[in-house]
Short mmCIF file of all heavy atoms in Angstrom, two decimals:
data_model
loop_
_atom_site.label_atom_id
_atom_site.label_comp_id
_atom_site.label_asym_id
_atom_site.label_seq_id
_atom_site.Cartn_x
_atom_site.Cartn_y
_atom_site.Cartn_z
N VAL E 58 110.36 153.88 39.82
CA VAL E 58 111.57 153.08 39.62
C VAL E 58 112.64 153.93 38.91
O VAL E 58 113.84 153.88 39.10
CB VAL E 58 111.06 151.85 38.94
CG1 VAL E 58 112.42 151.08 38.42
CG2 VAL E 58 110.23 150.95 39.79
N ASN E 59 112.09 154.68 37.96
CA ASN E 59 112.99 155.40 37.12
C ASN E 59 113.59 156.55 37.90
O ASN E 59 114.81 156.80 37.91
CB ASN E 59 112.23 156.15 35.91
CG ASN E 59 112.20 155.14 34.73
OD1 ASN E 59 113.13 154.97 33.82
ND2 ASN E 59 111.14 154.59 34.45
N ARG E 60 112.83 157.15 38.68
CA ARG E 60 113.19 158.28 39.45
C ARG E 60 114.32 157.83 40.42
O ARG E 60 115.39 158.45 40.58
CB ARG E 60 112.07 158.82 40.26
CG ARG E 60 112.10 160.13 41.10
CD ARG E 60 113.55 160.76 41.20
NE ARG E 60 113.49 162.02 40.57
CZ ARG E 60 114.82 162.60 40.18
NH1 ARG E 60 115.85 161.99 40.30
NH2 ARG E 60 114.79 163.78 39.74
N ILE E 61 114.00 156.79 41.23
CA ILE E 61 114.93 156.46 42.12
C ILE E 61 116.19 155.77 41.58
O ILE E 61 117.22 155.84 42.11
CB ILE E 61 114.25 155.45 43.27
CG1 ILE E 61 115.03 155.40 44.53
CG2 ILE E 61 113.82 154.08 42.72
CD1 ILE E 61 114.38 154.97 45.64
N THR E 62 116.12 155.23 40.42
CA THR E 62 117.27 154.69 39.76
C THR E 62 118.28 155.77 39.41
O THR E 62 119.39 155.76 39.63
CB THR E 62 116.90 153.96 38.52
OG1 THR E 62 116.21 152.92 38.83
CG2 THR E 62 118.15 153.55 37.71
N ALA E 63 117.66 157.01 39.03
CA ALA E 63 118.41 158.17 38.64
C ALA E 63 119.08 158.76 39.86
O ALA E 63 120.13 159.08 39.99
CB ALA E 63 117.58 159.28 37.89
N THR E 64 118.09 158.84 40.86
CA THR E 64 118.57 159.47 42.14
C THR E 64 119.78 158.76 42.77
O THR E 64 120.68 159.37 43.16
CB THR E 64 117.50 159.53 43.19
OG1 THR E 64 116.29 160.28 42.64
CG2 THR E 64 117.84 160.16 44.49
N THR E 65 119.72 157.49 42.83
CA THR E 65 120.74 156.72 43.66
C THR E 65 121.99 156.66 42.82
O THR E 65 123.06 156.32 43.30
CB THR E 65 120.33 155.29 43.88
OG1 THR E 65 119.89 154.63 42.61
CG2 THR E 65 119.17 155.19 44.93
N SER E 66 121.98 157.17 41.57
CA SER E 66 123.20 157.26 40.81
C SER E 66 123.51 158.60 40.53
O SER E 66 124.46 158.83 39.61
CB SER E 66 123.06 156.36 39.46
OG SER E 66 122.12 157.05 38.59
N SER E 67 123.02 159.60 41.01
CA SER E 67 123.25 161.00 40.84
C SER E 67 122.91 161.30 39.31
O SER E 67 123.68 162.18 38.74
CB SER E 67 124.62 161.40 41.20
OG SER E 67 124.91 161.08 42.50
N GLY E 68 122.00 160.75 38.70
CA GLY E 68 121.68 161.01 37.32
C GLY E 68 120.51 161.78 37.13
O GLY E 68 120.26 162.69 37.87
N ILE E 69 119.94 161.62 36.01
CA ILE E 69 118.88 162.59 35.51
C ILE E 69 117.57 161.73 35.21
O ILE E 69 117.60 160.66 34.65
CB ILE E 69 119.25 163.36 34.24
CG1 ILE E 69 120.43 164.15 34.44
CG2 ILE E 69 118.11 164.12 33.68
CD1 ILE E 69 120.18 165.48 35.02
N PHE E 70 116.54 162.24 35.66
CA PHE E 70 115.22 161.62 35.34
C PHE E 70 114.37 162.74 34.65
O PHE E 70 114.24 163.85 35.08
CB PHE E 70 114.42 161.26 36.64
CG PHE E 70 112.96 160.93 36.38
CD1 PHE E 70 112.68 159.80 35.70
CD2 PHE E 70 112.05 161.73 36.92
CE1 PHE E 70 111.32 159.47 35.43
CE2 PHE E 70 110.71 161.24 36.70
CZ PHE E 70 110.25 160.14 35.99
#
Side-chain angles (χ1 to χ4, degrees):
Chain E
V58 170
N59 273 285
R60 186 357 118 198
I61 195 157
T62 297
T64 301
T65 52
S66 67
S67 307
I69 297 279
F70 167 69

